[in-house]
């Protein structure tokens, strides 16, 4: 009887840990690298751009930010005032600003080439106890999920985003057209929120504990007269 109680205790412990992993707060678990790629360069300088900057785990909430926000580094040096890429919970936040106004159209000024768009490539995405399976994207001021948008096109913000692997996301910079704001073209911007969708993945130790409790009970049942 005591052995059965022990096995039941192990089984119960494994189930508890598994349930805890399902409900745990999803947070980024490691350093994240932001790469700025513009195969066609800029509207006023067609030299290709390929720069990267790694954000330490402890600094994810600050992220990569423009110099006027206190940022420094290869990607920060190319950012317009108030632009930034930062991370919180299981969400990526991007503020993109207008850098070119050719023909009265406000764009970032970053150019793609040969079918490859200008983009941020964000890699090293890992969430504790979770597997990244998809995303939802918004383009409302204040990184909100509703309200006023600074994005004129594309009509669907999610079309700018591509999950190229479970740990890497691409954000298209060359397809953005900004809504004209009252402050004039130099003040045009949009704020994007990308919420990552995940599936719980219990730690191997959790499955092991669960198996240790369940297997002996199954074996005992199989040998019962």
């Amino acid at each position: 009887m005591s052995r059965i109680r022990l096995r039941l205790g192990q089984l119960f412990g494994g189930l508890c840990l598994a349930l805890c992993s399902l409900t745990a707060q999803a947070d980024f678990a490691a350093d994240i690298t932001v790469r700025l790629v513009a195969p066609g360069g800029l509207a006023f300088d067609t030299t290709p751009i390929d720069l990267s900057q790694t954000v330490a785990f402890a600094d994810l909430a600050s992220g990569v930010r423009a110099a006027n926000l206190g940022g420094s580094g290869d990607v920060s040096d190319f950012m317009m005032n108030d632009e930034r890429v930062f991370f919180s919970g299981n969400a990526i936040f991007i503020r993109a600003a207008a850098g070119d106004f050719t023909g009265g159209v406000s764009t970032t000024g970053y150019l793609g080439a040969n079918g490859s768009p200008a983009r941020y490539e964000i890699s090293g995405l890992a969430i504790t106890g979770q597997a990244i399976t998809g995303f939802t994207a918004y383009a409302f001021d204040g990184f909100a999920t509703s309200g006023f948008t600074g994005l004129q096109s594309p009509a669907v913000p999610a079309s700018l985003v591509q999950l190229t692997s479970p740990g890497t996301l691409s954000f298209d910079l060359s397809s953005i057209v900004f809504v004209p704001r009252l402050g004039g073209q130099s003040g045009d911007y949009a704020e994007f929120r990308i919420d990552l969708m995940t599936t719980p993945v219990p730690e191997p130790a959790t499955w092991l504990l669960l198996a240790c409790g369940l297997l002996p009970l199954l074996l005992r049942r199989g040998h019962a007269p």
Side-chain angles (χ1 to χ4, degrees):
M1 181 65 70
S2 61
R3 290 184 178 178
I4 293 177
R5 288 177 179 174
L6 176 61
R7 297 306 182 190
L8 287 174
Q10 290 176 326
L11 177 61
F12 181 72
L15 287 171
C16 287
L17 285 176
L19 289 173
C20 286
S21 70
L22 293 177
T23 58
Q25 174 65 35
D27 291 309
F28 290 109
D31 299 352
I32 297 175
T33 297
V34 177
R35 181 182 173 203
L36 172 62
V37 183
L42 300 168
F44 52 86
D45 181 354
T46 57
T47 304
I49 297 169
D50 191 341
L51 305 168
S52 65
Q53 193 168 326
T54 297
V55 184
F57 171 72
D59 297 326
L60 293 181
S62 297
V64 177
R65 56 198 189 278
N68 75 308
L69 298 177
S72 62
D74 290 343
V75 177
S76 292
D77 291 344
F78 265 83
M79 285 182 158
M80 304 288 292
N81 281 350
D82 298 326
E83 283 193 316
R84 56 192 302 215
V85 180
F86 64 102
F87 311 88
S88 179
N90 67 335
I92 302 168
F93 301 89
I94 300 172
R95 177 180 168 121
D100 184 67
F101 315 103
T102 301
V105 179
S106 296
T107 66
T108 63
Y110 291 114
L111 303 178
N114 301 318
S116 180
R119 61 199 181 272
Y120 284 130
E121 288 186 0
I122 303 172
S123 59
L125 299 173
I127 298 177
T128 304
Q130 307 283 318
I132 299 171
T133 58
F135 60 86
T136 54
Y138 309 91
F140 298 105
D141 284 5
F143 306 104
T145 57
S146 63
F148 180 80
T149 180
L151 180 66
Q152 181 168 299
S153 68
V156 180
S159 66
L160 297 170
V161 185
Q162 182 179 3
L163 194 63
T164 57
S165 77
T168 303
L169 180 143
S170 177
F171 180 80
D172 185 344
L173 292 167
S174 51
S175 297
I176 295 173
V177 177
F178 298 99
V179 170
R181 293 182 182 264
L182 294 178
Q185 291 176 325
S186 61
D188 295 346
Y189 68 90
E191 294 178 324
F192 301 88
R193 175 186 178 127
I194 304 167
D195 291 333
L196 297 178
M197 299 167 59
T198 62
T199 298
V201 180
E203 296 294 329
T206 301
W207 290 118
L208 180 61
L209 182 58
L210 184 59
C212 287
L214 183 59
L215 183 59
L217 292 177
L218 293 175
L219 291 175
R220 183 180 180 88
R221 182 177 180 180
H223 286 86

